[in-house]
mmCIF file of all heavy atoms in Angstrom:
data_model
loop_
_atom_site.group_PDB
_atom_site.id
_atom_site.type_symbol
_atom_site.label_atom_id
_atom_site.label_comp_id
_atom_site.label_asym_id
_atom_site.label_seq_id
_atom_site.Cartn_x
_atom_site.Cartn_y
_atom_site.Cartn_z
ATOM 1 N N GLU B 653 -1.021 10.831 37.082
ATOM 2 C CA GLU B 653 0.436 10.749 37.134
ATOM 3 C C GLU B 653 0.842 10.709 38.610
ATOM 4 O O GLU B 653 0.726 11.689 39.324
ATOM 5 C CB GLU B 653 1.054 11.954 36.418
ATOM 6 C CG GLU B 653 2.571 11.988 36.436
ATOM 7 C CD GLU B 653 3.212 10.725 35.894
ATOM 8 O OE1 GLU B 653 2.708 10.186 34.895
ATOM 9 O OE2 GLU B 653 4.202 10.265 36.492
ATOM 10 N N LEU B 654 1.277 9.534 39.059
ATOM 11 C CA LEU B 654 1.500 9.321 40.487
ATOM 12 C C LEU B 654 2.633 10.156 41.050
ATOM 13 O O LEU B 654 2.558 10.641 42.179
ATOM 14 C CB LEU B 654 1.809 7.839 40.747
ATOM 15 C CG LEU B 654 0.632 6.888 40.546
ATOM 16 C CD1 LEU B 654 1.104 5.461 40.735
ATOM 17 C CD2 LEU B 654 -0.496 7.206 41.513
ATOM 18 N N THR B 655 3.697 10.309 40.270
ATOM 19 C CA THR B 655 4.894 10.952 40.818
ATOM 20 C C THR B 655 4.650 12.397 41.206
ATOM 21 O O THR B 655 5.428 12.975 41.961
ATOM 22 C CB THR B 655 6.051 10.893 39.804
ATOM 23 O OG1 THR B 655 5.594 11.445 38.568
ATOM 24 C CG2 THR B 655 6.492 9.466 39.581
ATOM 25 N N VAL B 656 3.577 13.015 40.690
ATOM 26 C CA VAL B 656 3.311 14.400 41.067
ATOM 27 C C VAL B 656 2.207 14.480 42.132
ATOM 28 O O VAL B 656 1.787 15.573 42.511
ATOM 29 C CB VAL B 656 2.951 15.290 39.835
ATOM 30 C CG1 VAL B 656 4.140 15.363 38.887
ATOM 31 C CG2 VAL B 656 1.730 14.767 39.099
ATOM 32 N N GLU B 657 1.744 13.319 42.628
ATOM 33 C CA GLU B 657 0.756 13.298 43.704
ATOM 34 C C GLU B 657 1.406 13.742 45.028
ATOM 35 O O GLU B 657 2.594 13.510 45.256
ATOM 36 C CB GLU B 657 0.196 11.872 43.902
ATOM 37 C CG GLU B 657 -0.805 11.431 42.847
ATOM 38 C CD GLU B 657 -2.177 12.057 43.048
ATOM 39 O OE1 GLU B 657 -2.861 11.696 44.019
ATOM 40 O OE2 GLU B 657 -2.577 12.903 42.206
ATOM 41 N N LYS B 658 0.585 14.290 45.900
ATOM 42 C CA LYS B 658 1.046 14.730 47.221
ATOM 43 C C LYS B 658 1.568 13.521 48.021
ATOM 44 O O LYS B 658 1.021 12.416 47.917
ATOM 45 C CB LYS B 658 -0.159 15.357 47.946
ATOM 46 C CG LYS B 658 0.174 16.074 49.236
ATOM 47 C CD LYS B 658 -1.046 16.867 49.701
ATOM 48 C CE LYS B 658 -0.988 17.175 51.201
ATOM 49 N NZ LYS B 658 -1.419 16.038 52.043
ATOM 50 N N ASP B 659 2.603 13.712 48.786
ATOM 51 C CA ASP B 659 3.166 12.684 49.683
ATOM 52 C C ASP B 659 3.731 11.471 48.959
ATOM 53 O O ASP B 659 3.963 10.432 49.577
ATOM 54 C CB ASP B 659 2.113 12.160 50.693
ATOM 55 C CG ASP B 659 1.486 13.277 51.488
ATOM 56 O OD1 ASP B 659 2.184 14.308 51.676
ATOM 57 O OD2 ASP B 659 0.336 13.122 51.914
ATOM 58 N N PHE B 660 3.914 11.558 47.639
ATOM 59 C CA PHE B 660 4.353 10.386 46.897
ATOM 60 C C PHE B 660 5.622 9.781 47.484
ATOM 61 O O PHE B 660 5.692 8.583 47.790
ATOM 62 C CB PHE B 660 4.562 10.718 45.417
ATOM 63 C CG PHE B 660 5.205 9.609 44.645
ATOM 64 C CD1 PHE B 660 4.460 8.496 44.263
ATOM 65 C CD2 PHE B 660 6.564 9.628 44.324
ATOM 66 C CE1 PHE B 660 5.056 7.450 43.555
ATOM 67 C CE2 PHE B 660 7.155 8.593 43.625
ATOM 68 C CZ PHE B 660 6.404 7.501 43.247
ATOM 69 N N GLU B 661 6.637 10.623 47.722
ATOM 70 C CA GLU B 661 7.930 10.084 48.149
ATOM 71 C C GLU B 661 7.861 9.452 49.526
ATOM 72 O O GLU B 661 8.430 8.387 49.774
ATOM 73 C CB GLU B 661 8.987 11.188 48.118
ATOM 74 C CG GLU B 661 9.304 11.565 46.685
ATOM 75 C CD GLU B 661 10.639 12.290 46.555
ATOM 76 O OE1 GLU B 661 11.439 12.236 47.517
ATOM 77 O OE2 GLU B 661 10.866 12.891 45.495
ATOM 78 N N GLN B 662 7.116 10.100 50.424
ATOM 79 C CA GLN B 662 6.960 9.614 51.784
ATOM 80 C C GLN B 662 6.273 8.242 51.792
ATOM 81 O O GLN B 662 6.742 7.294 52.411
ATOM 82 C CB GLN B 662 6.096 10.628 52.530
ATOM 83 C CG GLN B 662 6.248 10.601 54.030
ATOM 84 C CD GLN B 662 5.394 11.733 54.627
ATOM 85 O OE1 GLN B 662 5.334 12.838 54.059
ATOM 86 N NE2 GLN B 662 4.732 11.438 55.735
ATOM 87 N N GLU B 663 5.177 8.142 51.017
ATOM 88 C CA GLU B 663 4.461 6.879 50.917
ATOM 89 C C GLU B 663 5.365 5.781 50.352
ATOM 90 O O GLU B 663 5.338 4.642 50.792
ATOM 91 C CB GLU B 663 3.232 7.027 49.988
ATOM 92 C CG GLU B 663 2.154 7.939 50.509
ATOM 93 C CD GLU B 663 1.305 7.267 51.597
ATOM 94 O OE1 GLU B 663 1.419 6.041 51.776
ATOM 95 O OE2 GLU B 663 0.541 7.986 52.278
ATOM 96 N N PHE B 664 6.139 6.182 49.377
ATOM 97 C CA PHE B 664 6.999 5.249 48.690
ATOM 98 C C PHE B 664 8.047 4.674 49.644
ATOM 99 O O PHE B 664 8.279 3.457 49.703
ATOM 100 C CB PHE B 664 7.659 5.973 47.507
ATOM 101 C CG PHE B 664 8.458 5.085 46.608
ATOM 102 C CD1 PHE B 664 8.027 3.799 46.282
ATOM 103 C CD2 PHE B 664 9.652 5.529 46.062
ATOM 104 C CE1 PHE B 664 8.773 2.998 45.431
ATOM 105 C CE2 PHE B 664 10.398 4.733 45.218
ATOM 106 C CZ PHE B 664 9.958 3.452 44.908
ATOM 107 N N MET B 665 8.679 5.542 50.457
ATOM 108 C CA MET B 665 9.696 5.108 51.405
ATOM 109 C C MET B 665 9.103 4.097 52.380
ATOM 110 O O MET B 665 9.699 3.064 52.678
ATOM 111 C CB MET B 665 10.266 6.304 52.178
ATOM 112 C CG MET B 665 11.083 7.290 51.355
ATOM 113 S SD MET B 665 12.379 6.496 50.371
ATOM 114 C CE MET B 665 13.485 5.995 51.700
ATOM 115 N N GLN B 666 7.904 4.389 52.859
ATOM 116 C CA GLN B 666 7.226 3.489 53.793
ATOM 117 C C GLN B 666 6.945 2.132 53.181
ATOM 118 O O GLN B 666 7.133 1.088 53.805
ATOM 119 C CB GLN B 666 5.877 4.098 54.217
ATOM 120 C CG GLN B 666 5.946 4.809 55.551
ATOM 121 C CD GLN B 666 4.590 5.392 55.921
ATOM 122 O OE1 GLN B 666 3.545 4.820 55.599
ATOM 123 N NE2 GLN B 666 4.623 6.528 56.599
ATOM 124 N N ALA B 667 6.495 2.187 51.898
ATOM 125 C CA ALA B 667 6.029 0.970 51.250
ATOM 126 C C ALA B 667 7.171 0.007 50.937
ATOM 127 O O ALA B 667 6.958 -1.158 50.636
ATOM 128 C CB ALA B 667 5.273 1.321 49.965
ATOM 129 N N MET B 668 8.410 0.496 50.996
ATOM 130 C CA MET B 668 9.535 -0.358 50.673
ATOM 131 C C MET B 668 9.820 -1.402 51.758
ATOM 132 O O MET B 668 10.432 -2.433 51.496
ATOM 133 C CB MET B 668 10.785 0.483 50.417
ATOM 134 C CG MET B 668 10.828 0.980 48.980
ATOM 135 S SD MET B 668 12.231 2.042 48.700
ATOM 136 C CE MET B 668 13.578 0.984 49.140
ATOM 137 N N GLN B 669 9.389 -1.130 52.976
ATOM 138 C CA GLN B 669 9.571 -2.072 54.092
ATOM 139 C C GLN B 669 8.883 -3.414 53.811
ATOM 140 O O GLN B 669 7.857 -3.457 53.153
ATOM 141 C CB GLN B 669 8.916 -1.487 55.359
ATOM 142 C CG GLN B 669 9.577 -0.245 55.876
ATOM 143 C CD GLN B 669 10.532 -0.536 57.011
ATOM 144 O OE1 GLN B 669 10.361 -1.509 57.753
ATOM 145 N NE2 GLN B 669 11.571 0.291 57.155
ATOM 146 N N ILE B 670 9.474 -4.509 54.332
ATOM 147 C CA ILE B 670 8.766 -5.791 54.317
ATOM 148 C C ILE B 670 8.721 -6.332 55.733
ATOM 149 O O ILE B 670 9.680 -6.150 56.476
ATOM 150 C CB ILE B 670 9.434 -6.838 53.405
ATOM 151 C CG1 ILE B 670 10.954 -6.846 53.617
ATOM 152 C CG2 ILE B 670 9.038 -6.652 51.978
ATOM 153 C CD1 ILE B 670 11.659 -7.933 52.862
ATOM 154 N N PRO B 671 7.722 -7.058 56.126
ATOM 155 C CA PRO B 671 6.418 -7.161 55.473
ATOM 156 C C PRO B 671 5.582 -5.973 55.861
ATOM 157 O O PRO B 671 5.491 -5.649 57.045
ATOM 158 C CB PRO B 671 5.845 -8.446 56.053
ATOM 159 C CG PRO B 671 6.457 -8.502 57.432
ATOM 160 C CD PRO B 671 7.734 -7.723 57.424
ATOM 161 N N HIS B 672 4.995 -5.366 54.938
ATOM 162 C CA HIS B 672 4.293 -4.125 55.175
ATOM 163 C C HIS B 672 2.957 -4.341 55.854
ATOM 164 O O HIS B 672 2.554 -3.551 56.703
ATOM 165 C CB HIS B 672 4.075 -3.428 53.847
ATOM 166 C CG HIS B 672 3.689 -1.993 54.028
ATOM 167 N ND1 HIS B 672 4.629 -1.006 54.247
ATOM 168 C CD2 HIS B 672 2.486 -1.389 54.048
ATOM 169 C CE1 HIS B 672 4.022 0.160 54.384
ATOM 170 N NE2 HIS B 672 2.714 -0.051 54.261
ATOM 171 N N MET B 673 2.275 -5.433 55.486
ATOM 172 C CA MET B 673 0.873 -5.515 55.842
ATOM 173 C C MET B 673 0.498 -6.738 56.652
ATOM 174 O O MET B 673 -0.676 -6.948 56.923
ATOM 175 C CB MET B 673 0.026 -5.539 54.552
ATOM 176 C CG MET B 673 0.253 -4.361 53.652
ATOM 177 S SD MET B 673 -0.558 -2.877 54.290
ATOM 178 C CE MET B 673 -2.258 -3.305 53.985
ATOM 179 N N THR B 674 1.466 -7.532 57.062
ATOM 180 C CA THR B 674 1.093 -8.804 57.684
ATOM 181 C C THR B 674 0.185 -8.636 58.891
ATOM 182 O O THR B 674 -0.679 -9.484 59.130
ATOM 183 C CB THR B 674 2.333 -9.608 58.090
ATOM 184 O OG1 THR B 674 3.344 -8.694 58.449
ATOM 185 C CG2 THR B 674 2.771 -10.514 56.970
ATOM 186 N N ASP B 675 0.375 -7.530 59.625
ATOM 187 C CA ASP B 675 -0.476 -7.331 60.798
ATOM 188 C C ASP B 675 -1.930 -7.149 60.406
ATOM 189 O O ASP B 675 -2.835 -7.382 61.208
ATOM 190 C CB ASP B 675 0.016 -6.129 61.634
ATOM 191 C CG ASP B 675 0.323 -4.932 60.774
ATOM 192 O OD1 ASP B 675 0.374 -5.104 59.535
ATOM 193 O OD2 ASP B 675 0.502 -3.838 61.323
ATOM 194 N N LYS B 676 -2.178 -6.731 59.177
ATOM 195 C CA LYS B 676 -3.557 -6.545 58.711
ATOM 196 C C LYS B 676 -4.162 -7.836 58.182
ATOM 197 O O LYS B 676 -5.290 -7.866 57.740
ATOM 198 C CB LYS B 676 -3.600 -5.500 57.606
ATOM 199 C CG LYS B 676 -3.418 -4.082 58.116
ATOM 200 C CD LYS B 676 -3.795 -3.087 57.047
ATOM 201 C CE LYS B 676 -3.540 -1.652 57.523
ATOM 202 N NZ LYS B 676 -3.623 -0.715 56.396
ATOM 203 N N PHE B 677 -3.356 -8.893 58.144
ATOM 204 C CA PHE B 677 -3.837 -10.151 57.559
ATOM 205 C C PHE B 677 -3.833 -11.266 58.582
ATOM 206 O O PHE B 677 -2.949 -12.114 58.569
ATOM 207 C CB PHE B 677 -2.969 -10.576 56.374
ATOM 208 C CG PHE B 677 -3.092 -9.648 55.208
ATOM 209 C CD1 PHE B 677 -2.222 -8.603 55.037
ATOM 210 C CD2 PHE B 677 -4.118 -9.845 54.278
ATOM 211 C CE1 PHE B 677 -2.342 -7.764 53.972
ATOM 212 C CE2 PHE B 677 -4.224 -8.991 53.197
ATOM 213 C CZ PHE B 677 -3.345 -7.946 53.040
ATOM 214 N N PRO B 678 -4.807 -11.280 59.467
ATOM 215 C CA PRO B 678 -4.815 -12.331 60.486
ATOM 216 C C PRO B 678 -4.851 -13.715 59.861
ATOM 217 O O PRO B 678 -4.268 -14.657 60.368
ATOM 218 C CB PRO B 678 -6.091 -12.055 61.291
ATOM 219 C CG PRO B 678 -6.878 -11.065 60.510
ATOM 220 C CD PRO B 678 -5.971 -10.382 59.572
ATOM 221 N N HIS B 679 -5.465 -13.841 58.703
ATOM 222 C CA HIS B 679 -5.587 -15.163 58.081
ATOM 223 C C HIS B 679 -4.234 -15.640 57.577
ATOM 224 O O HIS B 679 -4.098 -16.767 57.147
ATOM 225 C CB HIS B 679 -6.599 -15.124 56.939
ATOM 226 C CG HIS B 679 -6.236 -14.130 55.875
ATOM 227 N ND1 HIS B 679 -6.622 -12.817 55.932
ATOM 228 C CD2 HIS B 679 -5.528 -14.269 54.750
ATOM 229 C CE1 HIS B 679 -6.171 -12.184 54.877
ATOM 230 N NE2 HIS B 679 -5.499 -13.031 54.142
#
Side-chain angles (χ1 to χ4, degrees):
Chain B
E653 179 55 40
L654 291 176
T655 54
V656 296
E657 284 283 290
K658 190 169 159 279
D659 305 332
F660 171 77
E661 290 199 16
Q662 202 176 321
E663 294 283 348
F664 187 39
M665 293 309 290
Q666 262 180 34
M668 276 177 58
Q669 294 262 332
I670 45 174
H672 195 82
M673 303 284 289
T674 32
D675 46 348
K676 286 193 183 168
F677 293 93
H679 58 272

